[in-house]
């Protein structure tokens, strides 16, 4: 829920209401910004908070302390291995050192090259990005899912920290997002960090509840999808 860093984004027009809906669905934690975390403090007391520290400049010198003041359970930073201009890997290493000092868990989101260069989001690049983030000190990583499951095991097996899968662009059919979550788990992922596929849903609470059934309940996609169409 950090998509409004540059202004209003779909599903986050009313940030506190969006947080409340996701919480109602049973999410384990919310990944969000300083502003939304502060505005939603009452809701976040009942669930986990991962504070997004993405910034135009270095964040390691103040990000962890800011997260602690907001009661965060972990912090997150996006990095771009292979980017010819700026990888931000050095900032990740500095942040990891600060996190170790404060015993703050660190979620790294290593995106091969950039979000825009989707051709770079190959299985081998995602594998290497996940591993490089782990080697820099991340406690868990958030990366693309590049199927099928039997091939994606190469990513999870070669990364020594838990792998979470990002959702990417919203699917026209929510079952596709549920299937991706199920496939990722089958390949050894520990969970998912979905944003737009939840927030742009007509019922974000139900989409979260369906994902919870897949991730924690070991439910089939068919069973989880029934939550989306249950009577009001």
């Amino acid at each position: 829920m950090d998509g409004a860093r540059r202004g209003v984004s779909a599903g986050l027009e009313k940030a506190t209401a969006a947080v409340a809906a996701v919480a109602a669905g049973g999410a384990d934690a919310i990944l969000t910004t300083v502003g939304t975390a502060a505005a939603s403090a009452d809701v976040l007391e009942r669930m986990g908070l991962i504070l997004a520290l993405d910034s135009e400049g270095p964040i390691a010198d103040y990000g962890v302390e800011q997260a602690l003041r907001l009661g965060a359970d972990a912090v997150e930073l996006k990095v771009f291995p292979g980017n010819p201009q700026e990888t931000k890997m050095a900032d990740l290493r500095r942040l990891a050192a600060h996190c170790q000092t404060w015993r703050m868990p660190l979620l790294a989101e290593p995106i091969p090259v950039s979000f825009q260069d989707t051709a770079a989001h190959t299985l081998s690049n995602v594998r290497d990005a996940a591993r490089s983030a782990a080697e820099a000190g991340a406690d868990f990583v958030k990366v693309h899912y590049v199927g099928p499951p039997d091939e994606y095991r190469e990513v999870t097996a070669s990364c020594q920290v838990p792998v979470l899968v990002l959702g990417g662009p919203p699917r026209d059919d929510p079952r596709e997002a549920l299937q991706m979550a199920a496939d990722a788990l089958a390949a050894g992922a520990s969970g998912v960090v979905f944003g737009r596929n939840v927030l742009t849903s007509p019922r974000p609470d139900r989409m979260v509840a369906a994902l919870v059934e897949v991730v924690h309940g070991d439910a089939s996609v068919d069973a989880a999808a029934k939550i989306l169409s249950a009577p009001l």
Side-chain angles (χ1 to χ4, degrees):
M1 304 186 74
D2 61 341
R5 293 188 307 276
R6 297 178 181 85
V8 177
S9 62
L12 286 171
E13 295 87 354
K14 297 180 179 179
T16 56
V19 171
V22 170
D28 297 301
I30 287 175
L31 166 63
T32 195
T33 56
V34 171
T36 294
S40 306
D42 56 336
V43 176
L44 293 172
E45 287 180 352
R46 304 189 296 274
M47 62 188 311
L49 167 62
I50 304 172
L51 192 68
L53 297 182
D54 304 301
S55 173
E56 294 78 8
I59 195 75
D61 61 339
Y62 67 88
V64 180
E65 290 87 342
Q66 185 180 43
L68 287 167
R69 287 192 293 271
L70 286 166
D73 301 284
V75 295
E76 175 268 356
L77 185 69
K78 295 177 180 63
V79 294
F80 303 94
N83 188 290
Q85 279 77 47
E86 178 58 70
T87 67
K88 297 188 76 68
M89 290 298 294
D91 202 26
L92 179 64
R93 284 185 281 272
R94 286 191 294 269
L95 180 59
H98 280 275
C99 285
Q100 288 165 5
T101 297
W102 289 101
R103 298 187 179 181
M104 172 68 78
L106 171 59
L107 170 64
E109 184 173 345
I111 306 298
V113 182
S114 69
F115 282 108
Q116 294 76 22
D117 189 359
T118 56
H121 304 166
T122 63
L123 180 70
S124 60
N125 283 349
V126 170
R127 176 201 64 199
D128 291 345
R131 181 60 179 267
S132 65
E135 296 294 347
D139 297 295
F140 53 138
V141 298
K142 172 189 174 187
V143 293
H144 288 88
Y145 175 70
V146 186
D150 59 340
E151 294 181 8
Y152 197 73
R153 289 190 186 94
E154 184 178 337
V155 176
T156 59
S158 62
C159 187
Q160 62 267 45
V161 300
V163 172
L164 306 178
V165 169
L166 61 83
R171 272 62 173 178
D172 292 332
D173 183 351
R175 286 179 57 93
E176 294 180 14
L178 296 176
Q179 187 64 60
M180 181 170 66
D183 290 347
L185 292 167
S190 296
V192 300
V193 186
F194 282 7
R196 287 169 289 176
N197 278 289
V198 169
L199 296 173
T200 61
S201 170
R203 287 289 302 268
D205 55 339
R206 290 190 175 189
M207 188 63 187
V208 170
L211 286 166
V212 167
E213 285 302 307
V214 172
V215 174
H216 292 303
D218 197 28
S220 68
V221 171
D222 287 340
K226 292 180 181 178
I227 296 174
L228 303 177
S229 57
L232 295 174

